[in-house]
Structures are given as structure tokens and as C-alpha cells.
Amino acid sequence: MSSNASPTQPSLIRARMTGPASALLRLRMRHVMENGQRRDTAGRPIPAWHIREFTLTLNGQPLLSGQFGGGISKDPFLELTLKGVKAGDRLQLDWTDTQGAQRSDRSEIQAS
């Protein structure tokens, strides 16, 4: 497993205010995201291993949830504009992969 494959590496969560009540949010979930279609050097199939589902909360309230399949590239990246937020609001990203590994990371919205 490469160092980027470890689900113990933190997700990157960056949120910065861009206006009086809006912020730009950037998320990078670190994961290898194997699709199950490739083969190793010995010709054996590499099993699928990817983030299955994720949830993003804002101050403890659900904001966004979704599911990924094998067609998503390594280290998925999402960029969102949040409305009705303020500096100091808390964000939490939780995900589970197809092997049952889980990750939870937190951040706060930063002032501009």
C-alpha cells in the first residue's frame, strides 16, 4: 500500500469567508480509490477499494451527503460555496470505504 493509500491520512478541509455570509469550501478526501478493474504486476485483479459514502456537517447539522463508486479518481476533491455561514462555524467530514475503514475530520470556517 502506498503512503497515499492509508485512510489514516487526514482529509483536507479548507473554508474561507468570501463575503458577509458566504464561504468557499474545498475538500480533498485522501484515498486510493481503486476501481477493481486494474491488475497487479502478476496479473491478479486488484480488488475495488474506494470511499463508499460521505457526510459533511455544519455545526452538527447535515449539510451534504453522497456516495462514490469506483469511477472516482484518487483523492476526491469537492469545491462548494456555502451561504448563510460565519467565521468560526464548525465543519465535519465523515466517510466510510468499501473495506469498512472510517475517517472523521474537522475544521472551522476561517475569516477572509
Side-chain angles (χ1 to χ4, degrees):
M1 172 184 341
S2 73
S3 62
N4 244 4
S6 173
T8 61
Q9 287 192 338
S11 299
L12 302 176
I13 305 172
R14 304 287 185 262
R16 184 162 304 278
M17 296 299 295
T18 56
S22 64
L24 179 64
L25 170 63
R26 293 181 174 139
L27 303 171
R28 181 170 311 273
M29 297 173 241
R30 293 185 179 175
H31 200 285
V32 295
M33 303 295 281
E34 278 294 342
N35 63 15
Q37 303 298 310
R38 297 182 329 124
R39 296 188 176 273
D40 65 16
T41 55
R44 295 180 300 257
I46 298 172
W49 180 33
H50 53 81
I51 295 173
R52 185 183 46 194
E53 57 191 19
F54 68 94
T55 303
L56 178 67
T57 59
L58 175 68
N59 296 324
Q61 298 298 314
L63 181 65
L64 172 71
S65 63
Q67 298 176 337
F68 288 140
I72 303 297
S73 68
K74 177 175 135 182
D75 298 338
F77 176 82
L78 298 173
E79 183 174 287
L80 310 163
T81 299
L82 304 177
K83 302 287 185 184
V85 296
K86 63 186 180 311
D89 281 351
R90 297 176 322 273
L91 295 162
Q92 180 169 323
L93 175 66
D94 299 300
W95 59 255
T96 303
D97 72 15
T98 55
Q99 293 183 357
Q102 298 179 338
R103 177 90 210 167
S104 183
D105 295 291
R106 295 172 190 85
S107 187
E108 289 186 357
I109 298 175
Q110 304 298 309
S112 55

